Structure formats: C-alpha cells, structure tokens
Amino acid sequence: MQRFLFLFSILFSTVLGAQKKLNLIPYPQNITLEDGVFIIPETLILSDQLPKEETDYFKKRLGSLVKFKYSSKREEAQLTQALVPQPKIPVTTEEVKEKYTLSISSKGIFITSHTKQGYFLALQTLLQLFEEHREDRKIPALRIEDQPKFAWRGMHLDVCRHFFTVDEVKQYIDYLAMYKLNTFHWHLTDDQGWRIEIKKYPKLTQIGSKRKESMIGAYVDNTFDGKPYGPYFYTQAQIKDVVKYAQERHITVVPEIEMPGHALAALSAYPELACTKGPFEAATKWGVFDDVFCPKDETFTFLENVLDEVIKLFPSQYIHIGGDECPKTRWKECAHCQELIKKNNLKDEHGLQSYFIHRIEKYVNSKGRKIIGWDEILEGGLAPNAAVMSWTGVNGGIEAAKSKHFAVMTPGAYCYFDHYQGDPQSEPNAFGGFTPLDKVYSYNPIPAELNAEQAKYIMGVQANLWTEYILDFKQVQYMIFPRLLALSEVGWGTSDPKNYKEFENRVISQFRVLDKMKVNYAKSIYNISGKVIPANNGIAYELSTSQNSDGIRYTVDGTAPTINSNTYQKPVSIPGSLTIQSAYFENGQLKSAVSSQEFSISKTTGKKITLEQQPSENYSFGGAFTLVDGIIGNVKQLGKTWLGFQGKDVVATIDFGQKTGFSEVYFNTLENKGSWIHLAKSAKIFVSDDNKNFKLIKEIGKEEIQNTKGKIKLNAGSQNAKYLKVIIENAGIIPAGNPGADSKAWLFVDEIGVL
C-alpha cells in the first residue's frame, strides 16, 4: 500500500509539473518536461561550430550570468547545434525556416533547425529559460518542438509625427527580436514629416523633414507648442545600418512611402507634384489633409525615382506604399485628373486611386518587388499582385483573401497600440480607443468568414504605433509594453484567451527582465479595472485587478481610498448618482493609481437595450449597455465611455421592464471634424407599450443639435411607456472642405437617459 501511494504521489506530481507552464512568451507549440535539470555553470562551454552572429548575440544578452569558452570537442560542449537539411517533401521554405527543436538535459543543450533563423529563435527561448532560473540556476530538462503559425509577425513605428534616433530604432528592433516578431514596418513619410534621405531630391529632407510647430495635448484642444520641429531624418548610411542591425536579428524591415495621400511634407518641398500651386508646408496638426499627389507623369517620375533609392536600401520582398485616407477633393477639382478619368474609362476618383496604385505596382514589380498597402488600396479594384494590410477592420483582409491576395491583419480594435491600455483617467494622453492587454490577447488573425483554403492567404498579424501623442522613446516603450507580449503569442499561434490569467502571470514574470533593461513599460494591469454590470433592475460596479482582490479598497463619497476604506468583496451596488474611487493596496502600501468613476443615474440606467446596428470594434467597449451604464462620456477620452459608429445611424430600443413615466430625454454626441467625427444630422424619440407600434414624440434637426453643441436635452412632455426608441442619424458622407471628405462620417454617442 505504501509503495502504491509512493508511486501515485510521483505520478501526481509529474502531472502537475507537466500542467504548470514555464514563463515563456510566446509559448512554444510543444513542450515535454523530462527527468533531471541542467545546472547553469559559471562558465558555459560552447561548440566552436555554432553560427557566429547569432551566438554573439546570445552571449551579449546573457551578460553577467555566465562566462563562456569554446570547445572543438562536441562531447565537451554544453551548447551545440545542428543545421539539418530541409524536408524533401513539398514544404515551403516559409513553413520550415523558423522551425526549431530545443533539447535540454543534465549534460547540456542541443538545438536543431533548418536555418540560422530557427537557431536564433531557439536562442530566444533559451534566454528566457536562463533568465527565469537566474537565481536557482536549475533549468528543467525538456524538449521543445516549435515553429510559428504565421509568417508575418510585425510591429510598426511611425517616425513622422515624432522622430526617434537610430539607437532608439535599434532598441525597438531588439524588443521585436526578444519576443520572436520578425517584421519591422518603418513608417517613414507622412504629412508631418519626410524622414528618409533621397539623394535625387534633397529638398525632401531640407524642407520636408521639419515643421514650424506641433499640436500638443488633446486634439479637441487645438493647441500648439510654437516650437520648430526638425529637421529630423535618417541618412542613407543610417538606414543601411539599421537594416543590417535588423538582419542580424532575422528581422525584415519593410519601409513605407506614403502615396497618394499623406503627402504634405513632400509637397512642401516639391509643390509642382500637387493638383494646385500651393504653397504647402508640413502639417502641424494631426489628421487627414486634402492636398495629395496629383497623378500626372512628373509625379510618377518622382515616385519611381524615390522608390529606386528605397529599393536599393531595403532588401524586403514588400515595399509599403500606404494608400490610406486619400481625400478625393483636389482630384474632383483638377482638370488633369478629370481628363485622366475619362481617358482611361475610370468610374470615378476611386477608380483613379486604383489607377494610381496599379501604375506604382507595375513599376515596383519590374524591380523584382511587391507592394503592400493599407486596405484602402482595394478602392476601385486591387492591383494584380498587391497584398493588403487590413486596418479599418477585418473586411479588407477578408476581401483580399477571398480574391486570392495575401493580407496582414492589423485591425485597429485589437492592434493599434496608440489606443489607451488602461483607464483613460490614469493613463497618458492617447489617440483614443481602448485596447487593453486582454483584448490584444483575444485576437484571432484568421477571420471566421474564411474557409481553410482562403485562410492560407492571411500572412499574419501586426500591431501599429502611431505617434501623434508619443513625444519620446520612453512613451514608445510605455505604449508597446506589455501589449507586444500578447501580440507575440497571437502571432506565434499559441494564445488561448480562455487562459488569459495564466498568460498575465507570465507577463508579470517578464517585468523583471524589462526592469533590468530599464524599459518604461505600462503597469496598467496592476490598476483597478472597473466594469458596470446589470444588477437588481439597476447597476453594480465590478472591480478587479491582476493581484489579490482582497487588496482593493474603495470609497463611495468621492474621497481617495486608504488602507482603512471599504474592502472590496463583491460588485458595489449603485443606488443613485455618486462617485466611486478605488485602489490596490499591498502590505498597507498603495500599489496602484487611484481610479475614479462618477455615475449619473436615470430611469434608463441598467435597463435592457438593443441596437439595430453595432458600433465599430474600435469603439465598442461594453457594447449597447454602454448607453445605459450611468456613465457620461468624457469628451477627451473616447476609449471606454462612448460608442462610435462609422457611416451608421444609432437605433436604440430600451425596455424599461414596465410602464415608466418621464418628461425629458438626454444624450450626447461629439464633433471633432479633424478625426472625421461629426454631430448627428437629426434625432427622433419614440415610445411604445408593445415594442411593435411606436409613436413619435419628439424630433430634432441638424441646426438645433449644432446649437446645443451635441449635448441634447429634449422636453418630451408627460410620457408613460414601457419602451423607448431613439434614432440618432449619422451625418453621412463628409462634405468637401472637411478632413476625410467623401468618406463616411463617425457618430459618437454616450449615455441615453430619461428623467
């Protein structure tokens, strides 16, 4: 019996050990834990046959943990490697070049791979194991068989709105390498600055690399710093240096040269490339501007010459040509453009954009390269060999894949790291949206609408960092970490949203590494997260933290919480208008930022609500319930408390549960034309007792909405009804003369209340 219990205990502990995940990110595809441990020695003996550049990187990263020496005797070396032939079966290089096997026993470490890139990726896993066991110096014996699911695992960096030095760009590349991302998308030109030296056109950097001032603070404040910015750009020698640095880390650098829109910096240097005479200057505001490249021969000659120099600098298969957010205002007014449309039997200006992209693609293809562009390059018809980077949602990627074009998925709702990642009240100023760590981790790059064959055209996933509100590299670090870790595991194909908490624990373990590197990562996951939930025909406020919830303290009188404040045990009932402040304490000390949430209760608060059309994923936090959660939206923070609808009306029906009396209806909409957000065109209020037959009780038009600046309060008379329907009409297509002209306007709405 004792022997049985002993064997059972061994078996049980083995199962537990196998279930316990190692602190690795991205998590490998297959791990087998084996008997024994590898003791990290004072001096690690390396085979003298190891690939030099990759091994030098490994040695530098290990730093002071161990010393090194080389041996020509395979049996003596503790780290050995074998490059094995690629399979003879019909397998593409893409599928095997990043594959590796890592075996660790008490005797040493052995890596097999088909390429040096696979060896390099194995070293990243090994480095994390060394770091995890820095203190006990005992790495468990194991066997890892691993390869990524997606061939394109990318991060983007905008250096146009704010510039970053070569050393900072190299640090950025190092972060990608650490977590097995393999593509660096370098956004080098835009309205606010031209950042790459083009020797044939020196004025691009002499004039286009600087601006007279920069917008500061929230966009709606419309304030500027009055300080000249630049000239800032990378010389071709610096570009070559960065590309070489990335290649040593097996990272492909994909340059982006924006066209036909986002061209003001280029036009400031060469105004003859526009449809009008100018003069132009690099933009000082953020947003979208009407002046774009004119599709005339001299423009194409200019762009082809620029691309010649770019192609010589960047060996990447793909050249990113932008293609996004190109207003058609100037083209509509341009005699040359209209003649070009007629001459080529194009349908309209969207057809002209397609003509533009086709012509550029043909030239890039003639140089042995391919183009990739944002999903607006689908407008008017996709160029024959173009790949699509799907950012406005997933539809661009779906359309591309169904037409047998490759796509990289980078939807704003999951992959825009310029969005808030924590409570906007306690976060630095950001672009908008709300994309916390768990949301990034939940993303599946393969859209459900694609079948298995179509899914093969999804090359991978990428996150983007636009830098309108990112003033320095410390802020770059803050915005990408720890979200880059979630992207890493999504791209590797081992993310499991059902086990998010386990992933979060692995993220926290990585903070020790980031601390040693002096990375300014966001600690938002330590802060209190608040969520409004329906409760007892009203609402309650659910608080959570990545730490022990016993450490949460809160107040309901608006005062800052202390260790002696209420201990959070269950969702806090909200009986009326009040302010809840909360924070996390550990060992009597405040460990998080103080979160504050004000509630304004009305007769709709917590009631059942349905929407006929759903909001954009970028601005959908909380779904329809956001409109009845008792929270009035903050104009400067669009992330959590507003719903955003592009080109759609809001049709909301609220079920009071029983006939309810009221005399006033209120809601808010926003106006921020620079971000394509327009006030509603009209609003109608209906009531019903059966949810079928509705009676119109109030209507308001565009002029009245504008007079209220979007803060709508309507006298509804004396009403007594079970259902309330509110229809808020979107402004529709943005008119000429406005940023985003001819595009669908955004409509932002927050709380719908009645009194």
Side-chain angles (χ1 to χ4, degrees), residues 389-410:
M389 195 164 274
S390 188
W391 76 277
T392 58
V394 299
N395 289 338
I398 292 170
E399 184 178 341
K402 286 185 175 180
S403 59
K404 298 184 178 181
H405 284 262
F406 287 105
V408 175
M409 304 305 290
T410 178

Side-chain angles (χ1 to χ4, degrees), residues 669-685:
T669 72
L670 284 181
E671 182 173 65
N672 186 341
K673 291 183 178 179
S675 297
W676 305 9
I677 302 171
H678 289 247
L679 291 174
K681 185 186 293 185
S682 69
K684 296 178 181 178
I685 312 297

Side-chain angles (χ1 to χ4, degrees), residues 426-451:
S426 56
E427 290 286 316
N429 193 33
F431 184 84
F434 183 60
T435 310
L437 183 68
D438 60 337
K439 188 169 185 181
V440 179
Y441 194 67
S442 73
Y443 183 54
N444 179 359
I446 303 292
E449 293 87 344
L450 299 181
N451 61 36

